[in-house]
Amino acid sequence: MKTTLLSSVAAFALTGAALADEVRVYNWSDYIDEDLLTKFEEETGLDLVYDVFDSNEVLETKMLAGSSGYDIVVPSGTFLQRQISAGAFQKLDASKLPNAENLWDVVEARTMQYDPDNAYSINYMWGTTGIGVNVGKVQEILGEDAPLGSLDLVFKPENMEKLQACGVHFLDAPTEMVPAALQYIGEDPDSHDPDVLAKAEPILMGVRPYVQKFHNSEYINALANGDICVAFGWSGDILQARDRAAEAENGVEVAYNAPSEGALMWFDQMAIPADAPNPEGAHVFLNFILDAQNMAQASNYVYYANGNAASQEFLVEDVIGDPAIYPDEATLENLYTTTPYPARVQRTVTRMWTKIKSGT
Ligand code: N2P
């Protein structure tokens, strides 16, 4: 009896010690160079637990339930804003983030839309949602002048009917796919009006029979291996697919285009949950990420732009010089942002999305 009690006291003390030495990060999949994780542990002496997710909805469920056990999480701006309102995050302690001086004011000005004064978050990466293609396969099917960079490719039933033969994946991300469908028909992609939102349904339903899968990460390998020929997905992920195909020397040429009709620009923000077990360690992690060279290493690996101005001199030309990653003025003008749906509208969109995915 006594022994049992003693050992559980010892176990408790051990757990306490382990927690203080441990930082738990929950980030998107395919979103970092894993060498940076080892580097963090070596430099700081802290143990890093690094878990991944691939959907804002999954993260949001955890954040709103509380007690996630994570010290750092990475919601996109619109989700961050709603979770801040719900009290899910704690304010950052600027005195513990000296590397925040590296942040890029251009990105900060935009993320303030979701997190006023950037009090709760720092930008990790940002990008666009668009079209990944296997150039050879799509041209073989639709011809040399296939609209590779147009929403016509994915929302015109005649095109999709033909493309289904080589495989099409769409994101399982209603707050990105519904705005894209609205943009396609010339409506405001950020509309919160239920009557306008309802117009997205026939567009998505019209091509639904030809979508093999709705998924947020499998398309990277599927595109790279040639298992699918079209993915409506995230910029850097499609560029990673391009790289994987090139490395495999399998003859697959992958290309990414932000839709010429306009593309969603999103911001993934690192934030500390209100009930994080180790907020001190969380700040150490954020400051590590804010280091110019570390941030450049991450972007060079995942092909996403970041919110760190000082990192830019360390970016490879393939990244800083690619307008699909760092848009030039003309590309920037063609990008739109969205704002969070109020709860009632969100429920409507969720219902619509369930219906679309089930195809009935
Ligand atoms: C990383 C995807 C992050 C983009 N694989 C979604 N915000």
Side-chain angles (χ1 to χ4, degrees):
M1 187 62 190
K2 204 172 180 181
T3 325
T4 314
L5 181 64
L6 269 178
S7 59
S8 72
V9 167
F12 178 76
L14 262 177
T15 317
L19 276 182
D21 292 341
E22 186 175 279
V23 184
R24 296 170 56 103
V25 175
Y26 195 42
N27 197 1
W28 294 81
S29 52
D30 301 289
Y31 223 20
I32 202 155
D33 176 352
E34 291 188 0
D35 288 349
L36 280 168
L37 307 181
T38 321
K39 185 178 176 200
F40 172 79
E41 290 189 321
E42 283 169 5
E43 260 183 19
T44 65
L46 294 166
D47 286 330
L48 185 61
V49 175
Y50 189 87
D51 294 336
V52 297
F53 60 92
D54 71 0
S55 122
N56 267 309
E57 286 78 6
V58 167
L59 172 60
E60 179 149 290
T61 303
K62 282 198 165 59
M63 285 305 105
L64 299 183
S67 312
S68 66
Y70 289 109
D71 298 305
I72 298 278
V73 297
V74 195
S76 304
T78 51
F79 286 80
L80 170 85
Q81 184 175 346
R82 191 157 51 189
Q83 291 157 26
I84 290 174
S85 309
F89 298 115
Q90 55 184 276
K91 285 199 171 156
L92 302 178
D93 181 344
S95 72
K96 294 178 181 152
L97 301 172
N99 289 337
E101 66 178 20
N102 294 335
L103 286 167
W104 190 12
D105 54 354
V106 171
V107 171
E108 283 189 293
R110 286 176 182 257
T111 58
M112 264 160 62
Q113 179 187 356
Y114 308 108
D115 174 10
D117 299 329
N118 294 301
Y120 291 90
S121 69
I122 61 152
N123 180 253
Y124 177 58
M125 306 257 184
W126 52 278
T128 57
T129 305
I131 306 167
V133 288
N134 176 325
V135 179
K137 281 256 175 73
V138 171
Q139 286 182 336
E140 193 182 302
I141 292 178
L142 294 181
E144 287 292 309
D145 53 359
L148 301 182
S150 163
L151 291 174
D152 267 342
L153 191 82
V154 288
F155 289 143
K156 208 181 202 172
E158 300 96 280
N159 289 335
M160 284 284 284
E161 193 180 351
K162 294 178 189 146
L163 292 168
Q164 69 172 321
C166 58
V168 179
H169 282 193
F170 275 12
L171 287 175
D172 184 6
T175 63
E176 304 191 31
M177 296 306 296
V178 168
L182 292 180
Q183 179 78 12
Y184 181 57
I185 54 171
E187 294 286 353
D188 173 7
D190 192 30
S191 177
H192 290 185
D193 176 347
D195 293 336
V196 174
L197 285 160
K199 296 183 185 179
E201 189 175 318
I203 303 302
L204 291 158
M205 272 300 193
V207 293
R208 168 66 186 94
Y210 315 119
V211 178
Q212 183 184 319
K213 196 165 206 171
F214 291 87
H215 199 277
N216 291 343
S217 50
E218 277 182 20
Y219 63 91
I220 306 179
N221 280 332
L223 260 183
N225 298 339
D227 292 340
I228 61 171
C229 60
V230 176
F232 202 111
W234 291 309
S235 47
D237 288 13
I238 290 161
L239 295 170
Q240 288 176 56
R242 180 191 65 184
D243 241 36
R244 288 183 201 177
E247 265 164 34
E249 297 184 18
N250 60 3
V252 171
E253 185 197 343
V254 173
Y256 173 75
N257 286 293
S260 52
E261 293 87 347
L264 173 69
M265 178 187 203
W266 43 258
F267 300 86
D268 288 342
Q269 300 290 112
M270 288 193 162
I272 308 179
D275 56 6
N278 185 3
E280 189 69 33
H283 283 88
V284 175
F285 184 82
L286 287 181
N287 201 51
F288 174 85
I289 284 294
L290 285 165
D291 174 83
Q293 299 205 33
N294 291 343
M295 200 58 237
Q297 187 175 332
S299 279
N300 285 338
Y301 192 87
V302 298
Y303 294 102
Y304 283 103
N306 65 57
N308 190 308
S311 76
Q312 290 175 10
E313 63 169 302
F314 304 111
L315 293 174
V316 294
E317 189 51 32
D318 256 11
V319 169
I320 188 87
D322 185 345
I325 306 175
Y326 278 87
D328 47 31
E329 280 306 313
T331 317
L332 211 50
E333 267 176 35
N334 215 16
L335 302 179
Y336 60 81
T337 55
T338 56
T339 55
Y341 295 131
R344 196 172 46 82
V345 178
Q346 180 64 57
R347 279 195 293 277
T348 310
V349 170
T350 305
R351 255 199 312 277
M352 188 202 297
W353 191 245
T354 307
K355 202 171 148 193
I356 290 161
K357 279 202 296 178
S358 77
T360 51

